């Protein structure tokens, strides 16, 4: 997971149902843990990103396997912030290399471009991105895995900060062109997805749909240029997956550890789960 | 910041007033950002740790300087999890080395031991810790900076999980002995500090006091073996520091970005702050 805030996700945690699955992991301090929210905690506003439903869709298609997410997105980052040898690039390589000690790197998820949508930056987007992706592939010995880039929001020109994003269409064109011309690179449209009040960040419901589109791209090895007819249903199926007893207990422990329920309530709920 | 969950902190965010200071940074994706809570987000239950008030005390003593925290603690980790060459060790070295590109490493804060308080593990605590700290110092070219270790809670033997921590006293003795016998190593007592309902984690108010004790150790270069008479006052002074206009706006943006206030309320509050 690399890119800027829309890869890290938005904080509207309550607008969607939690995806919690023991078989979906997230890398924390270079080690695998069960994925929780927010998975990519770069800023206090991070929350629901596209990667959770991507992983959920992956699990639907791979019922007996584990999937792991490596969260390295950083809010507000430009392509220059992702330059080869810089902190963001090196951190992502470091984390991915640790994951590779006991896992297989299967894909790279990218969402970035808002911070290159002005001041002529879009004109050099294609070339800068190309250098960065080539370097990731070389560092991680990952020449053939899919690189999947999501389009930035059509809503960017409206809203409070709209006047800054004069080149968001050109960035989307650059992303799409890069995907069309580069082996193992794909573009996923954001058409129809909507924003929070800030006009900057995909809302949580849209992030869920986006993740499902990313998985369609990943599994079919093609760009996704229009919304999927089944995406809402698929999101429901992923979110409504029944929890195992261990998962119910883990979520109860999180609720207790967060101070949301008392020790008495925790122990009572625990008895109920264990009886079931 | 290395160790296990009591270094990462507990989730009872509302029990204390937030410490938010533009001059207190936290390392995120190997880059400095203004510190927010939770600073060491290893698990969804992470929250208020001792490092925030440590940094706040540091700022009181160094009004014109910035301080940065490098969060690398990982919940439930044993000394074996911190073994040289393992993921936690290597991640902490990596993050600290990136920080060293534009900062000076001034100290190592350690809180760990709960997961070595049973099954005879306490008997080898001293030797294992010694190897780990020596390796950190060597890797980071940091032979002379203080290593400050906090005592684990006296409350561990009571409470829901008390029967597991049969050797917590021996771990505290090992930490204290290590500090007494090792140059630039100090011990900070947890005497008088209290736990959440789980009987495992220091409550948020106690974490604030603990951080102030850590700073006393850091600034005086000595172990702190009893509670400080002024610690409550110092915590109040740190928490009641007046916010600058930029800080007020940043917190307002976080509140809006988190979906806690509407766009209308955000803009109205913004006007009020800008008038002040």
């Amino acid at each position: 997971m690399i890119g800027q805030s829309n890869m890290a996700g938005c904080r509207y945690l309550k607008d969607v149902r939690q995806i919690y699955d023991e078989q979906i992991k997230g890398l924390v301090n270079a080690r695998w843990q069960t994925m929780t929210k927010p998975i990519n905690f770069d800023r206090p506003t991070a929350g629901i990103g596209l990667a959770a439903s991507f992983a959920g869709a992956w699990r639907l298609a791979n019922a007996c396997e584990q999937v792991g997410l490596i969260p390295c997105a950083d809010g507000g980052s430009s392509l220059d912030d992702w330059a080869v040898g810089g902190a963001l690039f090196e951190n992502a390589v470091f984390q991915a290399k640790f994951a590779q000690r006991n896992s297989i790197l299967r894909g790279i998820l990218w969402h970035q471009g808002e911070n290159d949508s002005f001041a002529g930056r879009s004109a050099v987007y294609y070339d800068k991105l190309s250098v960065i992706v080539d370097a990731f592939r070389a560092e991680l010995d990952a020449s053939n895995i899919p690189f999947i880039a999501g389009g930035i929001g059509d809503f960017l020109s409206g809203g409070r900060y709209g006047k800054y994003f004069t080149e968001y269409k050109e960035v989307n064109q650059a992303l799409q062109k890069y995907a069309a011309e580069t082996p193992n690179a794909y573009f996923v449209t954001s058409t129809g997805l909507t924003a929070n009040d800030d006009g900057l960040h995909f809302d949580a419901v849209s992030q869920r749909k986006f993740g499902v589109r990313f998985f369609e791209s990943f599994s079919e090895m093609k760009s996704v240029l229009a919304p999927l007819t089944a995406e809402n249903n698929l999101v429901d199926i992923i979110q409504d997956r029944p929890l195992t007893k261990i998962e119910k207990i883990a979520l109860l422990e999180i609720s207790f550890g967060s101070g949301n329920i008392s020790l008495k309530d925790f122990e009572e709920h625990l008895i109920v789960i264990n009886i079931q």
Side-chain angles (χ1 to χ4, degrees), chain A residues 27 30-32 93-103:
Chain A
L27 206 74
R31 299 199 305 174
W32 293 119
V93 167
F94 173 86
Q95 301 292 339
K97 280 189 174 169
F98 255 89
Q100 285 179 316
R101 288 192 181 187
N102 58 11
S103 319

Side-chain angles (χ1 to χ4, degrees), chain A residues 245-256:
Chain A
K245 184 177 279 193
I246 289 172
E247 289 160 358
K248 285 179 187 171
I249 292 172
L251 287 175
L252 189 66
E253 284 172 344
I254 291 169
S255 187
F256 174 54

Side-chain angles (χ1 to χ4, degrees), chain A residues 46-94:
Chain A
I48 304 295
L50 60 92
S53 57
F54 171 85
W58 195 94
R59 281 275 295 145
L60 278 182
N62 300 274
C64 300
E65 287 183 64
Q66 292 187 326
V67 60
L69 301 168
I70 307 172
C72 301
D74 202 80
S77 53
S78 66
L79 282 181
D80 287 348
D81 291 324
W82 282 97
V84 179
L88 297 182
F89 180 90
E90 292 292 335
N91 179 61
V93 167
F94 173 86

